[in-house]
Amino acid sequence: SADPATFTALNEHYAMDKNKVYYCDEYRESQTYFLTKNQTVNIVDNADPASFQAIDDDYAKDKNQAFFLGNSFKVKDVASFEVVDRLFSKDKLQVYYNTQFIPNIDGTSFELINNNYAKDKDNYFIYGFPSEVISTPLLITNTELPLEILNYPFSKNSEKVFYKNEVIKNINPKTAVVVGSSYIKDDKNVFYE
């Protein structure tokens, strides 16, 4: 049902014509996983072709909403909507993690520190490795005490040491050093997680 005269491929996944927007993706079946790639092309529901823009291979937007992998999701301010990375997107008012609105994060100042940590003007957050199941970034602490990122999942400031977003009790932040993937020590003790 595409209109050949106006059909345009926007990138590897998104395409449009004067009437509709399309999303193409690959999938594999377990029986032929290493032998065959299958393609599927779907019409992007409720997309407005006149204002539609592909941002990258995964994200797009039109005048009314944003899209991830061809599925729409609501954002507060479509005009300022931008992609931070595959997990995060934002507008000037809010931040979205896996297309879900995250409360209490400032969209204007939000930035990623590395593959596990992020911050805004008021807080630090941890969001883990892609293989970990963290449904939303976890608040670690506010920026009144700057956070020093150690080896994941440890961090500290001048008063506390954190394992993910939990405070480790009875540890000296001044001498705390990570000694393994799950171990940290200070001048008196060794701690596991």
Side-chain angles (χ1 to χ4, degrees):
S1 65
D3 177 55
T6 59
F7 186 87
T8 305
L10 302 174
N11 60 27
E12 296 242 349
H13 294 282
Y14 287 103
M16 62 186 267
D17 62 23
K18 67 178 184 173
N19 302 313
K20 297 178 182 136
V21 175
Y22 307 91
Y23 182 78
C24 175
D25 201 8
E26 284 183 358
Y27 67 95
R28 295 176 185 254
E29 294 175 346
S30 60
Q31 299 90 338
T32 59
Y33 186 85
F34 294 106
L35 301 172
T36 308
K37 292 180 186 177
N38 301 296
Q39 277 80 33
T40 179
V41 178
N42 297 310
I43 295 170
V44 179
D45 292 330
N46 302 319
D48 175 47
S51 63
F52 190 85
Q53 303 170 27
I55 300 171
D56 64 14
D57 283 345
D58 300 322
Y59 286 92
K61 69 179 180 178
D62 67 15
K63 66 181 182 179
N64 301 313
Q65 59 206 332
F67 300 88
F68 179 68
L69 303 178
N71 298 306
S72 65
F73 67 101
K74 293 287 182 194
V75 295
K76 192 81 165 181
D77 184 66
V78 175
S80 66
F81 178 78
E82 63 184 85
V83 175
V84 178
D85 75 351
R86 184 166 167 77
L87 293 175
F88 289 97
S89 56
K90 69 178 186 173
D91 58 37
K92 68 181 182 181
L93 304 169
Q94 299 180 160
V95 175
Y96 310 90
Y97 180 73
N98 286 328
T99 71
Q100 301 300 310
F101 162 65
I102 310 167
N104 305 318
I105 298 182
D106 177 64
T108 304
S109 64
F110 178 80
E111 63 181 272
L112 298 180
I113 298 171
N114 61 27
N115 291 335
N116 308 111
Y117 294 90
K119 70 177 183 174
D120 69 8
K121 64 184 179 62
D122 297 317
N123 301 297
Y124 284 93
F125 303 89
I126 188 167
Y127 61 96
F129 286 126
S131 62
E132 291 182 316
V133 179
I134 296 180
S135 60
T136 188
L138 304 170
L139 174 67
I140 299 173
T141 186
N142 60 37
T143 56
E144 292 173 42
L145 304 167
L147 192 68
E148 179 184 347
I149 306 301
L150 305 173
N151 291 357
Y152 178 81
F154 297 103
S155 58
K156 70 179 182 176
N157 59 31
S158 62
E159 295 180 5
K160 298 175 184 171
V161 178
F162 303 92
Y163 174 77
K164 295 186 178 178
N165 69 328
E166 296 177 24
V167 175
I168 300 172
K169 294 182 170 91
N170 303 317
I171 188 170
N172 182 351
K174 292 181 175 74
T175 60
V177 178
V178 176
V179 291
S181 61
S182 297
Y183 293 91
I184 190 166
K185 70 175 186 170
D186 65 7
D187 52 331
K188 295 180 181 169
N189 298 298
V190 175
F191 300 83
Y192 176 74
E193 294 184 352

